[in-house]
Structure formats: C-alpha cells, structure tokens
Amino acid sequence: MSDDGKRLFGTNGIRGIPNEDLTPEFCMKIGKAIGTFFGKTIAIGSDNRLSNSMIMDSVISGILSTGVDVKNISILPTPAVQYYCKRNHIPGVIITASHNPPRFNGIKCIDEDGTELERTKEEKIEHIYHKNAFKVASWEHIGKEILDNSAAELYISGVLSKIDVEAIRKMKLRVIFDAGNGASYRTTPELLSRLGASLVTLNANPDGLFTSRESEPKPSNLKYLIELAKSGEFALGIAHDGDADRAVFVDENGNFIDGDTTLSLFVQNYIREGERVVTPVSSSDAVDDICKERGAEVIRTRVGAPIVSRTMIERKARLGGEENGGIIYGDHQYCRDGAMTVGIILDIMAKKGKKLSEIISEVPEYHITRKTIPRKNDFNNIKAKLLKIFPDWNVDETDGIKLRKDHDWLLVRPSGTEPIIRIFAHSKSLGASQQLCEEAEKIIS
Ligand code: MG
C-alpha cells in the first residue's frame, strides 16, 4: 500500500495480498493510525488465514505503541468479533478477507456498537496514516496485550438467547454442516449441539489454504454437502463463507436454497405490522410481496452490507439482509451473522413444525439469474444502450441502473473494486430470468 494519500479502506475494509500490499510495515502503521484514532482499548480477532499471525502481530504492535491496550480474542467468525465489541462497548479490528481466495487477507475496523466503521471515521484513520500524525506513548505508557477467550461463549449464548431453544431441541434434528475450513469450525458446531442436533461436520478443520472447497458458499463449491444431503438422512445442510457472516442452506432432499429465499423466509416469519425491512435493490420482489401482505414497509438501498446495517439503524428497522445469505437481525446485532441465520431458520422450523422444503414452498417464488462480465465500456454508454432497448421500463438509479416492467427487472451495476459489471435478472420463472440475463449480456458486451 502506498503513502500517496489514496483511499485505503474499500467497501469491506482494507484488502490485499500479504507481503505485497499488506506488508508488516504497512500493517504496523495502520495499527498506529487505528490506535491513535480510537484512543481506548481495542478488541482484535481474525479468521484462520495463513498470514494472520504476521498481520495481527504488526497491527497489535502499532496499536500498543500509541498507548492503547489490545484485547486479543483470537480466531472467530467476523460476527462473533462484532458481538464482542457491541457487548463490551469497545471498538475492534478483524483480520479477514471473508470469502476471497486464500492468497488475500484484510483489515476491517468495528465501532463500539459492533457495526462496521462508518466511512467518515475510516477517512479520519486514513488521514492520520497519510499525515503520520500518530500518538507516541512514552515507555511507561505503552499499551498491554490481554488475551481473552470469552468471546466464543458470549457469541453462542447471544444467539441462543434470541431463539426458542427448547422447541428446537425437541425436533432432535440430524444436521450436516460444512465449515469450508473457515473460522466457524468451533462456534457453529457448538451452537448446533446445544440445540440438540446430531451433527455431521464437513471441512471443520481450520485450513488457511481452503483445501477442501472455495470459500464462497455457492452450489458449485458445495457439491459434497449437497450430495450427502440427497441421502435423505438429514433435516438440513448448512454452509458458511470463510468468516461466517453468511449462511446458506440445503433442504432435506438435497436442494440448494439460495440466500434470497432465506431472506424472504426470515422476513415472512419475523416481520410485524408497521415495521420496516431494509434490503438492497438486488434482492427479489418476494420481500415486497410479503411486506405488502403484512402491512410493513420495504426500504431499498445500494448494494453492500454496511449500507444496509447503517440504514437499519437510521430508519429504526429490526430486519434486513442481502440476497447472498447475509441476514441482519437487529434484535441481535446490526451486522450480517451466519450463526444467527442458522438459529433463525431452526427457530422457524420449530415454530411451524414443518420440514425445510415445506416452509420454503410458502415463500413467493421469484428467480434471479446473476452474471459477472468484464467491463470494457464506460458505464454511461452501457446505461444509454439499456435505456434505448427498454424504453418503457421503469428506471431506478439507486445503484447502477435497475429497469423494471411488472415483476421482470434487470439490475446492471459496475463493481466498486474490480473492472467488472454485475448483471441481475429477475422474473417469475427461472427460464424468463435466464433469458433476460442473456439479453442484457448481449447488449452490454
Ligand atoms: Mg463473509
């Protein structure tokens, strides 16, 4: 990372390749900026990537030099670190690259309420970094590193306190869980056993190379989980991404349930009349149908979990989430939370006394086909072309461009971090959404 005054924090913290972008020197300097900015005890945790010790030790060293103490809470899912910050009212740092390939790592800051740090505060840290405006403690005031192993227990109890544990235990579920070699290897199995589930775990060995499967919880990476679920021996299958802020599910027949359907299921069963749900423009119309029926309001935002969380707080919404398996339950905490999502789905199954496939069939059916293509043209040209080809479609420019006719819509947005365009095509049937997606791809390329 250079010192030329440029932005360091992206949409999800600082990401880069260790010893290329994330050198020990850079990480220590960022630690100094973070310590200077917060000026009070900071919690630090990580996922289980190979470079974590190097990065974490450098960040800690930088923080301690500013006279600030560090609570090292070790390897945990991202939402467990956030929950620790929220409950202890202290800021935090997480060393993680979420679902990115193993060569990447990252540094993310958390505010005292457990939410991802606001952009304006990140800018202050960047300013301190670029100006070398670090606090330097005298030798007798250098910070102390305190090891604290209470965070996992705090997190699991927090999730359990939000669901009907007895009702779930009575179901005596047989569950298959895929940790994908990631940071959830301890917490989610522990949560499931306390919920009385008999458990088969896959890839529950932490492995920074992610040898068993890629970290993104999509069907092509979950073939073994789906295959085993098809045996009919399990009530459901569960998988997280690397840092376990997201969860996806497989039903008792081995059918993959996408994150969009899980979000709808959550809203359908947890929403109360007069409440608000916050979700980006990329999730399906099912949420709108459910809220209309229940007398609730849907607030649509730009894509990105921190934006959804922030809007939930501002607009006093208890429920929110994204279409990629990231559910945000404000009664628990205002961030995406994989283990909480698991608790919610089991809670719904227990309350309804039904199988997962039966509950899913009650969600309004829509399909979204997604595609990523290289960005060759200026986005304004792409927009002009789309407007010309769909002249009578309703236009929404909350994020990229969203064109709508009834329940058919097309969302085209440039990625904030890579030279790519993301296409989302939504329709009542899978065939129609696939066709719309193909059409958009032809127009854009
Ligand atoms: Mg993640």
Side-chain angles (χ1 to χ4, degrees), residues 12 15 78-79 96-100 108 241-246 336:
N12 238 318
R15 291 270 166 97
T78 290
T96 179
S98 180
H99 60 281
N100 285 165
K108 186 153 111 168
D241 69 327
D243 67 335
D245 56 351
R246 292 190 277 145
R336 297 191 297 197

Short mmCIF file of all heavy atoms in Angstrom, two decimals, residues 12 15 78-79 96-100 108 241-246 336, ligand 1:
data_model
loop_
_atom_site.label_atom_id
_atom_site.label_comp_id
_atom_site.label_asym_id
_atom_site.label_seq_id
_atom_site.Cartn_x
_atom_site.Cartn_y
_atom_site.Cartn_z
N ASN A 12 -15.29 -3.20 2.10
CA ASN A 12 -15.26 -4.15 3.22
C ASN A 12 -13.89 -4.18 3.88
O ASN A 12 -13.28 -5.23 4.02
CB ASN A 12 -15.67 -5.54 2.73
CG ASN A 12 -16.87 -6.05 3.49
OD1 ASN A 12 -16.96 -5.91 4.70
ND2 ASN A 12 -17.80 -6.66 2.78
N ARG A 15 -8.23 -4.63 1.79
CA ARG A 15 -7.95 -5.97 1.28
C ARG A 15 -6.68 -5.95 0.45
O ARG A 15 -6.40 -4.96 -0.23
CB ARG A 15 -9.10 -6.48 0.38
CG ARG A 15 -10.40 -6.79 1.08
CD ARG A 15 -10.50 -8.22 1.54
NE ARG A 15 -11.62 -8.35 2.49
CZ ARG A 15 -12.83 -8.77 2.15
NH1 ARG A 15 -13.09 -9.12 0.92
NH2 ARG A 15 -13.77 -8.86 3.07
N THR A 78 -16.36 -13.39 11.91
CA THR A 78 -16.47 -11.92 11.94
C THR A 78 -17.62 -11.46 12.86
O THR A 78 -17.42 -10.56 13.68
CB THR A 78 -16.62 -11.37 10.50
OG1 THR A 78 -15.37 -11.56 9.86
CG2 THR A 78 -16.99 -9.91 10.47
N PRO A 79 -18.84 -12.03 12.73
CA PRO A 79 -19.93 -11.54 13.60
C PRO A 79 -19.67 -11.79 15.10
O PRO A 79 -20.22 -11.06 15.94
CB PRO A 79 -21.17 -12.30 13.12
CG PRO A 79 -20.66 -13.44 12.32
CD PRO A 79 -19.35 -13.03 11.75
N THR A 96 -9.35 -10.37 8.29
CA THR A 96 -10.09 -11.34 7.48
C THR A 96 -10.20 -10.86 6.04
O THR A 96 -10.19 -9.66 5.78
CB THR A 96 -11.52 -11.59 8.03
OG1 THR A 96 -12.19 -12.53 7.17
CG2 THR A 96 -12.36 -10.32 8.07
N ALA A 97 -10.33 -11.84 5.11
CA ALA A 97 -10.68 -11.49 3.73
C ALA A 97 -11.96 -12.23 3.34
O ALA A 97 -12.16 -12.60 2.19
CB ALA A 97 -9.54 -11.81 2.79
N SER A 98 -12.82 -12.49 4.35
CA SER A 98 -14.14 -13.08 4.13
C SER A 98 -14.08 -14.32 3.23
O SER A 98 -13.44 -15.29 3.56
CB SER A 98 -15.09 -12.03 3.57
OG SER A 98 -16.36 -12.56 3.35
N HIS A 99 -14.73 -14.25 2.05
CA HIS A 99 -14.83 -15.38 1.13
C HIS A 99 -13.78 -15.32 0.01
O HIS A 99 -13.78 -16.16 -0.87
CB HIS A 99 -16.22 -15.37 0.48
CG HIS A 99 -16.45 -14.11 -0.30
ND1 HIS A 99 -16.80 -12.93 0.32
CD2 HIS A 99 -16.30 -13.85 -1.61
CE1 HIS A 99 -16.88 -11.98 -0.61
NE2 HIS A 99 -16.58 -12.50 -1.77
N ASN A 100 -12.88 -14.34 0.07
CA ASN A 100 -11.88 -14.19 -1.01
C ASN A 100 -10.92 -15.38 -1.04
O ASN A 100 -10.75 -16.07 -0.04
CB ASN A 100 -11.07 -12.90 -0.82
CG ASN A 100 -11.83 -11.64 -1.20
OD1 ASN A 100 -11.44 -10.54 -0.87
ND2 ASN A 100 -12.95 -11.78 -1.90
N LYS A 108 -10.24 -4.92 8.92
CA LYS A 108 -11.53 -4.22 8.97
C LYS A 108 -11.71 -3.64 10.37
O LYS A 108 -11.36 -4.28 11.35
CB LYS A 108 -12.59 -5.29 8.68
CG LYS A 108 -13.98 -4.78 8.53
CD LYS A 108 -14.76 -5.72 7.61
CE LYS A 108 -15.82 -6.48 8.37
NZ LYS A 108 -16.76 -7.16 7.48
N ASP A 241 -19.57 -18.93 4.58
CA ASP A 241 -18.38 -18.47 3.87
C ASP A 241 -17.21 -18.46 4.87
O ASP A 241 -17.39 -18.85 6.03
CB ASP A 241 -18.61 -17.09 3.20
CG ASP A 241 -18.74 -15.96 4.21
OD1 ASP A 241 -19.27 -16.23 5.32
OD2 ASP A 241 -18.34 -14.83 3.92
N GLY A 242 -16.02 -18.03 4.44
CA GLY A 242 -14.81 -18.16 5.25
C GLY A 242 -14.89 -17.53 6.63
O GLY A 242 -14.41 -18.09 7.61
N ASP A 243 -15.48 -16.33 6.74
CA ASP A 243 -15.54 -15.65 8.03
C ASP A 243 -16.93 -15.75 8.66
O ASP A 243 -17.20 -15.11 9.68
CB ASP A 243 -15.10 -14.18 7.92
CG ASP A 243 -16.06 -13.34 7.09
OD1 ASP A 243 -16.77 -13.91 6.24
OD2 ASP A 243 -16.11 -12.12 7.30
N ALA A 244 -17.80 -16.57 8.05
CA ALA A 244 -19.09 -16.97 8.63
C ALA A 244 -20.02 -15.81 8.99
O ALA A 244 -20.74 -15.86 9.97
CB ALA A 244 -18.87 -17.87 9.85
N ASP A 245 -20.01 -14.77 8.17
CA ASP A 245 -21.07 -13.77 8.35
C ASP A 245 -22.26 -14.11 7.47
O ASP A 245 -23.30 -13.46 7.54
CB ASP A 245 -20.56 -12.34 8.11
CG ASP A 245 -19.94 -12.12 6.75
OD1 ASP A 245 -19.73 -13.12 6.02
OD2 ASP A 245 -19.66 -10.97 6.41
N ARG A 246 -22.10 -15.14 6.63
CA ARG A 246 -23.21 -15.58 5.79
C ARG A 246 -23.47 -17.06 6.00
O ARG A 246 -22.57 -17.81 6.35
CB ARG A 246 -22.87 -15.33 4.32
CG ARG A 246 -22.80 -13.86 3.99
CD ARG A 246 -22.71 -13.64 2.51
NE ARG A 246 -21.36 -13.78 1.98
CZ ARG A 246 -21.07 -14.29 0.78
NH1 ARG A 246 -22.02 -14.72 -0.02
NH2 ARG A 246 -19.82 -14.35 0.37
N ARG A 336 -24.32 -8.62 9.38
CA ARG A 336 -24.62 -9.96 8.86
C ARG A 336 -24.07 -11.00 9.85
O ARG A 336 -22.99 -10.80 10.39
CB ARG A 336 -23.92 -10.18 7.52
CG ARG A 336 -24.40 -9.26 6.43
CD ARG A 336 -23.87 -9.69 5.11
NE ARG A 336 -22.41 -9.62 5.05
CZ ARG A 336 -21.71 -9.64 3.93
NH1 ARG A 336 -22.33 -9.75 2.77
NH2 ARG A 336 -20.41 -9.57 3.94
MG MG B 1 -18.00 -13.00 4.72
#
